[in-house]
Amino acid sequence: MNKSHPQTNSPEIIAFGEAMAMLVADETGALECVDHFHRRVAGADTNVAIGLARLGFHVGWLSRVGDDSFGRYLRKTLVSEGLDCQFLHTDPLHSTGLVFKARANDSEDPAVEYYRRNSAASQLCIEDAKDIDFSQLRHLHATGIPPALSSVTCELSEYMMVKARDAGASISFDPNLRPSLWKNENVMRETLNALAARADWVLPGLSEGRLLSGHERPEAIADFYLERGARAVIIKLGPQGSYYRGLLNGQLESYTVEGIPVTRVLDTVGAGDGFAVGLISALLEGFTPSEALHRANLIGARAVQVIGDMEGLPNRDQLKDLTQ
């Protein structure tokens, strides 16, 4: 359900980060052997923004693209998906990020190659957010990717989370680990854990939570973040579903919600983003945490059954069909 939002109307949700142009192989095999590709949009933060917009939320997208054909393609595509792009800036000095993605066999993770060093989005800074009206903001979605891109995007991540918290908006944080973008593992761990402490809902995968917290069990990983200020920790368990631990009506609750069976996995990329879309949308609509985790599992399972990072994200009518 796409909507056209007046540029003077402040978004209720804001996401920020790097949208990249993606060239996806049309056939399986090593990327160096592929002759034909098709163009798509990539970026974990972008996927979540698109997914929430498809469900009818007014979502603002804060980023930069280059003054190039890929940048114009991204802007056109994101607007067509219903995103409010008044905070999407064009950078005349830096190029739009690019990614090549292989076509994987069955449930394998596809090979991915990035060309994003010194991209336009890596120059995103606090000044780019100066026109955001945080007083109208209902929710901020943040990930661990922008703080990994550069020192200025790291500063922006902290700024966005502080401003959203001060304005009374809820905040979700998905670590989305990209170790190759960081100076070293210790810097990654310290930076992301500090940002996670500013969030209401922390959404790590199990392996991410283990690496960042130093704990093995989901309960211990969750307590690590709850002790630092999070209201709830939701851990993605892959096919096994998801785990919730958090305060609800003053009481600490924890449980696992089983995953949705999938007969064939076509593309694993974007499953975690689909999960985030389901969780955030349901919680903002007033569903209980267990209901929100079920929707998150459902959309995450749908995402892996479709080729593409965000092609499996449902609109409102499709979500209704999935939940019947």
Side-chain angles (χ1 to χ4, degrees), residues 89-120:
H89 306 280
T90 298
D91 185 333
L93 302 178
H94 300 87
S95 301
T96 303
L98 179 64
V99 56
F100 288 84
K101 178 179 170 184
R103 177 68 61 87
N105 289 307
D106 296 327
S107 59
E108 296 177 359
D109 291 335
V112 179
E113 294 184 2
Y114 294 96
Y115 296 86
R116 70 198 312 179
R117 186 180 299 274
N118 294 321
S119 68

Side-chain angles (χ1 to χ4, degrees), residues 168-236:
S170 57
I171 304 171
S172 52
F173 180 75
D174 188 333
N176 262 304
L177 296 189
R178 300 293 189 272
S180 63
L181 295 177
W182 290 92
K183 179 180 179 180
N184 58 58
E185 192 173 285
N186 286 334
V187 172
M188 177 180 73
R189 185 183 297 110
E190 292 174 5
T191 303
L192 296 188
N193 284 340
L195 291 173
R198 299 185 180 279
D200 297 293
W201 312 325
V202 182
L203 284 63
L206 182 58
S207 61
E208 291 177 326
R210 287 171 171 166
L211 178 59
L212 291 172
S213 72
H215 298 290
E216 287 294 313
R217 296 168 56 247
E219 296 87 348
I221 295 170
D223 285 341
F224 177 86
Y225 291 109
L226 292 174
E227 291 166 1
R228 284 160 175 76
R231 285 170 41 198
V233 180
I234 301 92
I235 300 176
K236 292 164 280 189

Side-chain angles (χ1 to χ4, degrees), residues 243-266:
Y243 173 80
Y244 172 90
R245 188 170 175 85
L247 293 172
L248 187 63
N249 298 323
Q251 299 294 319
L252 183 65
E253 293 194 6
S254 58
Y255 44 78
T256 298
V257 176
E258 291 186 2
I260 308 299
V262 174
T263 55
R264 186 184 179 192
V265 176
L266 294 179

Side-chain angles (χ1 to χ4, degrees), residues 141-154:
H141 180 64
T143 79
I145 298 175
L149 296 177
S150 68
S151 60
V152 290
T153 54
C154 189

Side-chain angles (χ1 to χ4, degrees), residues 16-44:
F16 63 100
E18 180 169 32
M20 292 174 287
M22 178 169 64
L23 296 179
V24 185
D26 286 338
E27 62 266 8
T28 59
L31 282 171
E32 62 266 26
C33 299
V34 176
D35 291 323
H36 301 286
F37 297 80
H38 61 276
R39 187 171 58 176
R40 290 289 185 270
V41 173

